[in-house]
Amino acid sequence: MRTLISTAFVSLDGVMEAPGGEPGYRNSGWTFKNVEFLPEAFEIKGREQEEAAAMLLGRTSYESFSAVWPDMDDFATYKVMPKYVVSTTLTDDDLVTNWGDTTILRSLDAIAALKETEGGPIIIHGSATLNHSLSDAGLIDRYHLLVFPLLLGAGKRLFSTTDKDTQKLQLTEHEAYPNGLQKNVFEVIH
């Protein structure tokens, strides 16, 4: 069974919206505007590219990332990696042609089936709505969180507000950095 890893930049109050400057959110770009950059705090991002064998994205994140990541040297590994986009509205004609093999999945059942296939870990970037659905369905196996020492208030959050049974997590890796950033890796206890 493949491991499904959710990776996110989150504020201390759980907001994950527009960390890199995406338009339409009043605090857009909060990861680089408000916290001193320390390269060692982002080491996990390079490790994720080495570890992941595929990428899973929601439609909105796919549209955002596919517009810029294919041409960025920092994300060269992701260019050749198989990608899966979860959407009920996208068609193959909507997919970019310069970012490698991309498959559209239509349901949580399709994601559960993908997890049952052979292969390495599947990483989820961004994708707030998709994260909510996957977490609520118990399909996420690990979280890689870079927690920023900021309170952003309103904004899309990593976790849903669905009333559900407790999900237990085990902290397997953590580090705090001088700029207040915290790395937390949690395994989901299934």
Side-chain angles (χ1 to χ4, degrees):
M1 186 152 128
R2 299 174 82 167
T3 302
L4 194 54
I5 302 167
S6 173
T7 181
F9 295 143
V10 294
S11 65
L12 190 58
D13 56 350
V15 175
M16 66 179 294
E17 187 169 354
E22 299 80 359
Y25 176 59
R26 75 177 221 146
N27 291 318
S28 186
W30 50 270
T31 58
F32 60 87
K33 289 180 182 174
N34 299 303
V35 178
E36 174 192 5
F37 178 76
L38 293 177
E40 60 271 24
F42 295 87
E43 170 275 334
I44 194 168
K45 304 319 279 175
R47 194 168 13 125
E48 288 170 350
Q49 285 189 65
E50 293 170 11
E51 180 183 6
M55 187 185 313
L56 180 67
L57 298 162
R59 179 195 51 81
T60 302
S61 291
Y62 173 79
E63 289 174 345
S64 239
F65 295 151
S66 68
V68 292
W69 280 17
D71 298 320
M72 293 179 70
D73 291 339
D74 288 346
F75 301 110
T77 305
Y78 287 144
K79 186 169 185 167
V80 296
M81 185 179 293
K83 282 163 273 316
Y84 299 90
V85 182
V86 182
S87 173
T88 58
T89 58
L90 284 179
T91 67
D92 287 338
D93 290 340
D94 297 318
L95 302 176
V96 299
T97 58
N98 64 335
W99 206 24
D101 292 337
T102 303
T103 302
I104 298 171
L105 302 178
R106 301 287 184 202
S107 68
L108 288 177
D109 288 339
I111 298 166
L114 174 64
K115 282 187 64 172
E116 296 293 330
T117 63
E118 295 287 322
I122 303 165
I123 195 144
I124 309 161
H125 285 278
S127 307
T129 302
L130 178 59
N131 264 286
H132 294 176
S133 297
L134 293 170
S135 177
D136 290 349
L139 292 173
I140 295 177
D141 301 298
R142 187 185 321 150
Y143 291 96
H144 292 184
L145 305 179
L146 283 178
V147 182
F148 285 71
L150 302 168
L151 299 175
L152 298 174
K156 293 179 185 175
R157 289 182 156 51
L158 178 60
F159 299 104
S160 77
T161 58
T162 302
D163 186 12
K164 61 184 177 188
D165 291 336
T166 301
Q167 276 187 321
K168 189 168 181 175
L169 308 174
Q170 179 180 358
L171 183 65
T172 58
E173 183 180 343
H174 63 90
E175 192 161 350
Y177 301 94
N179 63 356
L181 206 61
Q182 297 175 32
K183 172 180 63 181
N184 294 299
V185 176
F186 292 100
E187 297 287 337
V188 177
I189 309 292
H190 292 290

